[in-house]
Amino acid sequence: MEFALFGNPNTGKTSLFNILTDSYAYVGNWSGVTVEKKVGDLSNEKGQLIDLPGIYTINPLSKDEAVATEYLMNGTFHGIINIVDASQLLRNMQLTIQLLEFGAPLIIGLNMTDVAKSKGILVDPEKLSEKLGVTVVPIIARSGHGCDKLLKHLDEQNLHRSSIKIDYGPEIEKLIDEIIKLLPSYSKINRRWLAIQLIDGNFVVRNKLSEMMDFALIDYLIKDSEEKIKRQYGVKSISQWLFKKRQDFIQSVLDYCVTEQKNK
Ligand code: GDP
Ligand code: K
Ligand code: MG
């Protein structure tokens, strides 16, 4: 079985990778870029783990970041470990939401729980799990705390496909439905996710789909909606609107799951 580590830069991916895998790891480069590709055997002999470049969103800004998006779309893995920094959840969960929307089997490693605690931020993993529809395991990747449990959970019973659905507002929901109807029926990837990523301007998704379809009508529909959204809500772009709607959702989840001790 193959598992992959997705997360923002500096959230502890490599620390966790080193704990979960045997000392020997294959190191090479991803094709076309200089980013290091690390593959290790899980220490429980249940499969391999891939350490991916850190990203803030599935919509890549660079060719290096595109490695993670391409890996996700190629779908050669059995499950995803999404590592998030418990002290920076509002920012980290922009990526989480997009991974959950993709719908692959996923588990969340809630890392830096020591840092969060020292800042007075207490995250309830059960409540977070309830809201997101996937298992959440609190860890401290620097010391290894909780990592055994995470490793034990890397199986079919504990990796879940989330069914969360962010409401992007009536204009975008209509646009998503229109785009879904225009997508090739034989794509194996979740069509709502594809539509949302196209609206967000994801060039990896677009390039991949452009081999099988024409974009003239989709481009027109997106441009038209963007003008409406900008006029109506005063945002700079349709991407900014998607970001804002995700943030509203994340904030509502955090209001339910996180206690902050202000005196810390
Ligand atoms: P990556 O960029 O996601 O691969 O993150 P790294 O594994 O390189 O970790 C970034 C930094 O955070 C390093 O200095 C780690 O030692 C530190 N770090 C990782 N996990 C934890 C943790 O749970 N708690 C604390 N305090 N530091 C951590
Ligand atoms: K790093
Ligand atoms: Mg790293």
Side-chain angles (χ1 to χ4, degrees), residues 126-166:
E126 268 84 42
K127 284 185 171 177
L128 191 56
S129 170
E130 177 196 326
K131 288 287 174 193
L132 302 181
V134 292
T135 303
V136 177
V137 182
I139 57 172
I140 303 171
R142 186 142 84 178
S143 69
H145 178 86
C147 297
D148 278 2
K149 185 172 174 193
L150 184 63
L151 184 60
K152 280 205 196 90
H153 279 64
L154 286 182
D155 58 33
E156 266 132 38
Q157 285 77 50
N158 291 293
L159 292 178
H160 302 288
R161 297 177 189 271
S162 174
S163 53
I164 62 152
K165 194 172 172 195
I166 309 290

Side-chain angles (χ1 to χ4, degrees), residues 56-248:
Y56 291 103
T57 159
I58 286 297
N59 178 10
L61 294 172
S62 67
K63 277 179 88 175
D64 286 0
E65 290 186 357
V67 161
T69 307
E70 269 155 16
Y71 179 86
L72 182 69
M73 291 187 78
N74 286 340
T76 53
F77 57 87
H78 297 91
I80 291 172
I81 304 174
N82 174 212
I83 183 159
V84 295
D85 177 344
S87 73
Q88 310 262 11
L89 282 178
L90 186 59
R91 185 170 72 182
N92 278 229
M93 281 176 60
Q94 281 284 333
L95 175 64
T96 303
I97 297 302
Q98 296 173 70
L99 291 170
L100 295 176
E101 285 177 329
F102 185 83
L106 184 146
I107 188 164
I108 292 180
L110 181 67
N111 195 33
M112 306 271 183
T113 47
D114 57 332
V115 178
K117 196 174 168 195
S118 73
K119 290 184 183 169
I121 301 168
L122 296 179
V123 185
D124 185 323
E126 268 84 42
K127 284 185 171 177
L128 191 56
S129 170
E130 177 196 326
K131 288 287 174 193
L132 302 181
V134 292
T135 303
V136 177
V137 182
I139 57 172
I140 303 171
R142 186 142 84 178
S143 69
H145 178 86
C147 297
D148 278 2
K149 185 172 174 193
L150 184 63
L151 184 60
K152 280 205 196 90
H153 279 64
L154 286 182
D155 58 33
E156 266 132 38
Q157 285 77 50
N158 291 293
L159 292 178
H160 302 288
R161 297 177 189 271
S162 174
S163 53
I164 62 152
K165 194 172 172 195
I166 309 290
D167 180 358
Y168 288 101
E171 299 83 4
I172 300 297
E173 290 299 328
K174 181 165 167 273
L175 177 61
I176 291 171
D177 289 344
E178 286 167 342
I179 293 176
I180 285 175
K181 285 190 204 120
L182 297 168
L183 290 174
S185 56
Y186 45 88
S187 171
K188 274 186 252 149
I189 300 171
N190 181 323
R191 301 156 78 73
R192 181 176 169 85
W193 183 88
L194 287 171
I196 294 167
Q197 290 300 321
L198 287 174
I199 295 169
D200 212 354
N202 188 320
F203 72 87
V204 177
V205 175
R206 189 193 163 101
N207 288 350
K208 193 137 190 157
L209 287 174
S210 63
E211 294 161 12
M212 13 179 160
M213 62 181 290
D214 177 62
F215 269 93
L217 182 52
I218 289 185
D219 286 343
Y220 168 78
L221 292 171
I222 293 175
K223 198 84 216 128
D224 189 51
S225 295
E226 179 157 50
E227 289 313 315
K228 280 185 200 145
I229 291 281
K230 280 157 76 174
R231 248 191 332 241
Q232 202 163 332
Y233 301 104
V235 288
K236 287 197 214 85
S237 65
I238 208 161
S239 276
Q240 192 187 47
W241 175 256
L242 297 179
F243 180 91
K244 193 179 151 339
K245 296 305 277 185
R246 285 185 201 119
Q247 195 158 42
D248 291 347

Side-chain angles (χ1 to χ4, degrees), residues 9-11 13-14:
N10 293 314
T11 50
K13 290 180 301 302
T14 302

